[in-house]
Amino acid sequence: MKILLYATAIVLASFSCGCKIGGENLSLKTVDTSTTFKFTAEFDEAKTDKIEKYLDSALNNELSLNQNIDLLINLSGNDKFNLKAKKGWLEIVFDKRNSSSAGYMKVKKLTEGIQGQLTGR
């Protein structure tokens, strides 16, 4: 179990590196503690529409990232996360204390998809 936790910490630390890809600014940061999962992305504003389409598809909801938003998104039952976004910036905060591991995995998969959209992977 400890090996799994250490491996997860190493993977998440590697995702938190800010980088410059193709001349565009990109900063991805993931913080995963025992009580909270927080993902922050700063990216070129031109990619806002791409991220908006991805989120609309993944969440089955229409969001407009061209304005400042601060929403509580309900995944299912008690599983909720806070989504803050505007052009070129996005933050997802998931409280693990009152949520299921399935909800945590959904949010983690969502953030991995966002990373993939931003990095082209």
Side-chain angles (χ1 to χ4, degrees):
M1 185 68 175
K2 284 186 179 182
I3 293 172
L4 179 60
L5 289 173
Y6 290 125
T8 303
I10 291 169
V11 169
L12 292 174
S14 68
F15 284 129
S16 68
C17 296
C19 54
K20 192 168 185 165
I21 298 175
E24 299 174 2
N25 291 324
L26 177 62
S27 174
L28 302 172
K29 183 175 181 184
T30 303
V31 177
D32 194 353
T33 67
S34 61
T35 59
T36 305
F37 178 83
K38 182 177 179 180
F39 171 79
T40 307
E42 292 183 52
F43 49 91
D44 185 32
E45 287 185 8
K47 290 191 176 186
T48 301
D49 289 339
K50 184 176 186 178
I51 298 302
E52 184 177 312
K53 287 177 186 173
Y54 175 78
L55 287 172
D56 288 349
S57 173
L59 299 174
N60 295 322
N61 198 350
E62 290 188 26
L63 302 171
S64 177
L65 302 184
N66 291 324
Q67 59 188 4
N68 292 346
I69 61 170
D70 185 355
L71 302 171
L72 188 62
I73 306 289
N74 188 356
L75 293 172
S76 60
N78 290 333
D79 296 330
K80 299 175 176 103
F81 68 91
N82 185 251
L83 172 72
K84 294 180 183 179
K86 60 183 177 182
K87 279 189 173 188
W89 180 80
L90 175 121
E91 179 182 79
I92 292 175
V93 179
F94 180 76
D95 184 357
K96 294 180 183 179
R97 290 173 287 198
N98 298 317
S99 302
S100 69
S101 59
Y104 166 71
M105 293 308 292
K106 285 180 187 178
V107 171
K108 189 172 175 183
K109 184 176 178 180
L110 175 70
T111 61
E112 289 169 356
I114 293 167
Q115 289 175 4
Q117 293 291 314
L118 291 171
T119 61
R121 295 180 190 165

